[in-house]
Amino acid sequence: QVQLVESGGGLVQPGGSLRLSCAASRTIFSFYDMGWYRQAPGKQRELVALISSGGSTNYADSVKGRFTISGEYSKNTVYLQMNSLKPEDTAVYYCNGRSRIGTAWGQGTQVTVSS
């Protein structure tokens, strides 16, 4: 069973940056696509960014121009670079990956944007 482990969350000031990492227990070549989701208090989990086979990406309107998803195959890791962070970005961020055996989720990492 593939496991995903997120890291890099924490407390950051508005306008600051964080880079989240998602380490997979096997090569990320195994995944059809990988993405980042987030869930804020009192709200439903939403897709933030997605990277698919071939490297195409999609972003939620709320993060376009500020967040970048990328993968590093040599480290079996997917990243989410978050710039110009806003208080509205505060949420638990989850890594997701889809493969032929199903969907894998990370445990989540807390991102808090506050002054």
Side-chain angles (χ1 to χ4, degrees):
Q1 192 73 33
V2 176
Q3 295 183 355
L4 304 175
V5 180
E6 302 100 331
S7 62
L11 176 64
V12 66
Q13 301 291 313
S17 298
L18 284 174
R19 188 176 75 164
L20 305 183
S21 299
C22 173
S25 61
R26 63 183 296 176
T27 175
I28 58 177
F29 281 118
S30 300
F31 293 96
Y32 302 138
D33 53 42
M34 299 191 72
W36 288 92
Y37 293 72
R38 68 186 182 188
Q39 187 166 17
K43 296 186 176 181
Q44 193 168 345
R45 184 169 53 186
E46 65 174 346
L47 175 66
V48 176
L50 185 72
I51 185 165
S52 60
S53 59
S56 62
T57 58
N58 293 97
Y59 298 93
D61 289 341
S62 59
V63 307
K64 286 181 179 177
R66 300 189 297 120
F67 290 11
T68 303
I69 187 170
S70 63
E72 189 168 1
Y73 289 113
S74 64
K75 295 184 178 180
N76 297 332
T77 300
V78 170
Y79 303 99
L80 183 68
Q81 178 67 46
M82 304 184 295
N83 299 324
S84 302
L85 283 162
K86 306 174 180 179
E88 306 94 271
D89 296 318
T90 296
V92 177
Y93 284 71
Y94 298 91
C95 182
N96 168 270
R98 298 192 304 124
S99 71
R100 65 182 300 274
I101 63 172
T103 301
W105 289 94
Q107 81 287 351
T109 185
Q110 176 71 48
V111 172
T112 302
V113 185
S114 176
S115 60

